[in-house]
Amino acid sequence: MRTAMLGKTGLEVSRIGMGGIPLQRPSVEEAVRVVHRALDLGVTFFDTAAGYGESEERFGRALVGRRGSVIIATKSGRRTEEEAAAELERSLQRLKTDYLDIWQLHNVSNAETYDQVLGPGGAMAAARKALQAGKIRHIGLSSHNLDIAIEAVKSGLFETIQFPFNYVTREPADTLIPLAAERDVGFIGMKPFAGGMLGRADLSIKYVLQFDSVIPDPGIETVEEIEEIVGLVEDGDWILSPAELEEIEARRSELGTQFCRQCGYCQPCPQEIRISMAMITEAMWKLWPREIFMEWMGGVIETARTCLKCGECESRCPYELPIRERIGESIAFFDRVAAEG
Ligand code: SF4
Ligand code: SF4
């Protein structure tokens, strides 16, 4: 497996990582088999989060006896020092390790949250103490908001930044990726397949691998998926042909007016609707186990039903998405799934 350095962390990771959201869906035995296959194929970088259901436990079980040869990254979405520190202890237990290679402040996607995690009593204080105590080796941040991610990289406080990057969400290519490379901050590219929206895996993988400093970490659920992706990485022929570039452009213009980047620029909503969540109901259905989907999305959809159709959100969305229409579709999708039992 090809490898690459992850910014200033000094960590040498496989050229592609394995993301852990979908690992919750198969049986425990199957999840362990998928991770073992990834290891056999040379994948050494595993990224999960405390909030991904049983994902951490499953990685922990699968990586027993392999700790010394893998890089483990996880995340905490807790915002206060106390809560984040407690969550870190749980992550260490679940992952069956006494240290994490990278611990990331999870989904810091608006200014208020950024200020909170970095302010007095915020999660960053827990990260600093954990670093001193040797419980974590590097501090990272994940975000869906380009402005916040850029600020985080400029702050010099983080050694890695995790951000969505694919040929539809390609805005980071002009700003965030070169900036991170210049500051030697490792760039972990989440959602290389845009949450399963892009179709052909080869185009998605080739596109992101053109960027030397990007380490993509696609979410993997099956042995077949990891085999296909590693095959594409090892092939080494990442140059996109004119026909492939044309196909990418066609797909991009088709999805460009539908695809929510989860950047949060459309907020706030007078009804406190979590717009970006309400926009990705179908993608969530594909990624998460039914029980968790119903619990999480049930609340989001209930609030979405109160939409006033005022259009304030649409005037703020930089991608001009038809948010009101998409929310209506999300509600209909949720109701259909709920009715199926
Ligand atoms: S609807 Fe638009 S502004 Fe809101 S999160 Fe999605 S892409 Fe961003
Ligand atoms: S249209 Fe609906 S979702 Fe958008 S701001 Fe108004 S109430 Fe909120």
Side-chain angles (χ1 to χ4, degrees):
M1 166 62 83
R2 292 157 199 273
T3 59
M5 297 307 289
L6 190 58
K8 66 178 100 173
T9 63
L11 298 170
E12 185 177 4
V13 295
S14 47
R15 188 65 187 82
I16 199 151
M18 173 175 168
I21 293 182
L23 206 65
Q24 314 169 59
R25 289 174 61 98
S27 67
V28 175
E29 293 71 25
E30 183 58 16
V32 169
R33 200 167 80 87
V34 174
V35 178
H36 285 172
R37 186 66 185 130
L39 287 164
D40 292 345
L41 292 167
V43 176
T44 57
F45 179 38
F46 299 92
D47 177 65
T48 181
Y52 295 167
E54 293 180 19
S55 177
E56 286 186 332
E57 280 110 320
R58 291 172 173 208
F59 274 122
R61 185 187 280 236
L63 295 174
V64 166
R66 307 295 287 266
R67 183 64 188 97
S69 55
V70 296
I71 305 297
I72 300 179
T74 191
K75 318 180 192 77
S76 173
R78 304 292 172 171
R79 305 312 189 199
T80 67
E81 178 180 354
E82 197 180 336
E83 288 174 350
E87 188 155 83
L88 171 61
E89 295 302 327
R90 283 196 294 276
S91 290
L92 290 167
Q93 275 171 19
R94 289 171 179 162
L95 286 159
K96 300 189 195 305
T97 180
D98 52 9
Y99 72 94
L100 297 168
D101 296 286
I102 306 168
W103 194 46
Q104 300 152 97
L105 307 186
H106 194 179
N107 196 16
V108 179
S109 296
N110 60 57
E112 193 187 354
T113 307
Y114 186 75
D115 290 344
Q116 186 187 3
V117 294
L118 292 186
M124 188 65 173
R128 286 202 184 97
K129 286 181 185 163
L131 195 65
Q132 279 171 0
K135 293 179 180 179
I136 65 173
R137 302 223 162 139
H138 305 280
I139 303 173
L141 180 137
S142 77
S143 180
H144 288 83
N145 181 295
L146 202 54
D147 295 330
I148 298 290
I150 287 172
E151 195 170 334
V153 170
K154 284 183 177 168
S155 73
L157 297 170
F158 303 98
E159 288 180 87
T160 63
I161 187 82
Q162 181 158 178
F163 199 84
F165 183 54
N166 54 65
Y167 66 73
V168 176
T169 310
R170 64 184 183 194
E171 298 79 16
D174 299 326
T175 50
L176 184 60
I177 291 172
L179 178 72
E182 183 194 314
R183 307 282 173 111
D184 208 14
V185 171
F187 187 100
I188 303 167
M190 69 166 109
K191 299 187 173 69
F193 304 122
M197 302 271 291
L198 299 185
R200 283 179 55 180
D202 58 338
L203 297 186
S204 301
I205 290 295
K206 279 180 169 187
Y207 177 79
V208 294
L209 290 176
Q210 317 268 318
F211 296 80
D212 291 343
S213 61
V214 173
I215 305 296
D217 71 333
I220 302 290
E221 183 176 343
T222 66
V223 164
E224 291 73 25
E225 285 169 2
I226 192 65
E227 286 176 345
E228 180 184 14
I229 292 169
V230 170
L232 291 164
V233 177
E234 289 303 86
D235 180 36
D237 178 15
W238 305 335
I239 306 297
L240 290 156
S241 69
E244 288 173 330
L245 284 168
E246 214 171 284
E247 190 169 338
I248 280 181
E249 279 316 309
R251 192 79 182 118
R252 186 170 187 258
S253 49
E254 188 187 325
L255 285 173
T257 53
Q258 297 175 38
F259 185 69
C260 175
R261 278 78 166 168
Q262 294 185 270
C263 59
Y265 291 121
C266 49
Q267 302 284 168
C269 159
Q271 299 298 95
E272 299 189 353
I273 296 168
R274 294 173 67 189
I275 298 170
S276 60
M277 287 293 285
M279 299 279 282
I280 56 163
T281 309
E282 201 167 336
M284 293 288 283
W285 172 248
K286 286 183 191 149
L287 280 176
W288 291 79
R290 179 186 175 84
E291 202 178 300
I292 298 179
F293 170 85
M294 294 307 290
E295 191 185 322
W296 276 25
M297 292 309 294
V300 172
I301 293 296
E302 273 324 293
T303 322
R305 292 185 204 279
T306 69
C307 175
L308 304 169
K309 305 212 171 5
C310 64
E312 282 179 29
C313 49
E314 290 180 15
S315 66
R316 287 190 290 259
C317 174
Y319 309 101
E320 300 178 2
L321 301 192
I323 297 174
R324 289 170 285 187
E325 193 185 317
R326 296 293 311 280
I327 285 180
E329 289 165 8
S330 273
I331 293 170
F333 179 84
F334 181 87
D335 288 345
R336 225 170 26 249
V337 169
E340 282 164 9

